[in-house]
Amino acid sequence: MQALPRSLALLCLAASMLLVGSYVALTKPLALVFPVMLLAWLRFGIGGGAMLHWLRKPAGEPPMTPRTRWLLFLESFFGNFLFTLCMIAGMRLTTAVAASVIMASIPAVVAVLGWLILRERMTLRILLSILCAVGGVALLALARGNGAANASAQSSWLGYVLLFAAVVCEASYSIIGKLLTASLSPRRITALINLWGLALSTPLGLYAAWQFDFGAVPPSIWLLLLFYALAACMGSVWLWMTGLKVIPASQAGVFTVMLPVGTALTGVLALGETLNAMQGLALGIALLGVLMATLPGRTQALPPVSS
């Protein structure tokens, strides 16, 4: 199969994180209606039904090794299952402002893990783009949270730890995904890790479903659940894996800054929130980081970590 052009791969990465940011913002109504584990189980179930035809092994794809099977489990456990639990639990113990600042560290964590685990060479320009991305989203969070200083001061340190654990899970998802794209197609990776997510969430999901009144759920919530499941399980994952097949993980990690940016934009466009000058500046700085990471050019590279 012909390799995807670099420009299209970069577009896939950006679209994936914008999609994640949008469905994170739009799932607030779902979390108010469904228990956490039931919501996760329904998500993976709907996504799995839509991707059954993606489970078939392509003709030219090599058989999966035990290492590949193990990586698929880890990808789903960290990127799907554990990330969701840590994020929800962390949000309950701290503030949205603190969460945004902590989540802004995802690009840096991805780059460091890519340097340590994948032995990727990290350029000075990528380092500068990471600083722009982290600084921009941190400024965005602080600009949105001027009125939440008292609540932030009372936030639990356990919440901070859980949120950073979610950051590590998301970064691990990017690194493991890069390893998987060397032997599996993006579609098959997407379908298989969703299948693991369904298996992990089924026991507690069935327990929650047994006590839940499905008849009380309005049609608008069911439509939102359908969008959430297809975007979270299918669209965003396939786009991310497609981009990772071409782009180094350290560079792709910069695009995770689009997650909180996408959430902020969705809040403005769909939820009626306002965007002031400081917030606009923060978004501009974050996008500058993405631009620095994607423009072609020669830059001195940092040496990889020795084995």
Side-chain angles (χ1 to χ4, degrees):
M1 182 182 296
Q2 187 176 2
L4 190 72
R6 183 175 181 274
S7 58
L8 288 180
L10 294 172
L11 184 61
C12 285
L13 294 174
S16 173
M17 287 297 106
L18 282 173
L19 188 57
V20 172
S22 68
Y23 74 64
V24 165
L26 294 175
T27 49
K28 282 189 176 182
L30 293 174
L32 295 175
V33 173
F34 297 101
V36 173
M37 291 309 303
L38 176 59
L39 180 57
W41 184 57
L42 290 172
R43 161 191 159 166
F44 292 125
I46 295 172
M51 291 185 290
L52 282 175
H53 59 296
W54 284 8
L55 288 170
R56 185 181 307 164
K57 186 176 82 69
E61 187 175 281
M64 284 193 292
T65 64
R67 177 178 179 271
T68 300
R69 297 177 189 276
W70 177 241
L71 287 175
L72 283 168
F73 169 77
L74 292 178
E75 178 79 336
S76 183
F77 180 74
F78 286 112
N80 285 343
F81 186 73
L82 199 57
F83 172 81
T84 302
L85 296 184
C86 289
M87 175 58 67
I88 294 174
M91 288 295 294
R92 289 178 177 173
L93 295 174
T94 187
T95 65
V97 173
S100 298
V101 174
I102 294 170
M103 295 302 290
S105 65
I106 292 177
V109 177
V110 172
V112 170
L113 289 181
W115 184 49
L116 291 173
I117 298 174
L118 301 181
R119 301 298 191 260
E120 293 182 346
R121 300 182 69 87
M122 187 160 40
T123 67
L124 295 177
R125 190 176 62 181
I126 291 296
L127 286 177
L128 291 175
S129 69
I130 290 169
L131 291 177
C132 282
V134 173
V137 180
L139 181 60
L140 172 66
L142 294 174
R144 296 183 66 181
N146 290 333
N150 293 334
S152 181
Q154 299 172 358
S155 297
S156 168
W157 278 104
L158 177 58
Y160 298 153
V161 172
L162 288 169
L163 287 171
F164 188 72
V167 167
V168 176
C169 287
E170 181 68 15
S172 301
Y173 167 82
S174 296
I175 299 301
I176 298 171
K178 183 64 177 177
L179 294 172
L180 287 170
T181 56
S183 57
L184 299 178
S185 69
R187 284 189 176 189
R188 195 150 185 247
I189 294 172
T190 304
L192 289 170
I193 65 175
N194 182 81
L195 197 62
W196 267 117
L198 180 61
L200 290 168
S201 62
T202 290
L204 291 178
L206 284 174
Y207 178 77
W210 184 262
Q211 308 175 48
F212 186 75
D213 182 11
F214 288 94
V217 180
S220 59
I221 293 296
W222 287 117
L223 288 175
L224 189 57
L225 174 62
L226 180 63
F227 165 77
Y228 169 60
L230 295 180
C233 294
M234 194 172 184
S236 62
V237 180
W238 174 77
L239 285 167
W240 188 254
M241 295 301 166
T242 299
L244 273 181
K245 204 166 183 69
V246 178
I247 305 300
S250 57
Q251 187 177 4
V254 178
F255 283 86
T256 57
V257 75
M258 302 301 284
L259 191 159
V261 169
T263 301
L265 291 177
T266 302
V268 172
L269 298 176
L271 304 180
E273 298 182 3
T274 59
L275 184 69
N276 59 36
M278 185 66 74
Q279 293 167 341
L281 175 62
L283 287 172
I285 294 174
L287 292 174
L288 176 62
V290 176
L291 185 64
M292 290 178 63
T294 56
L295 287 177
R298 295 181 180 178
T299 309
Q300 182 181 0
L302 299 181
V305 178
S306 58
S307 303

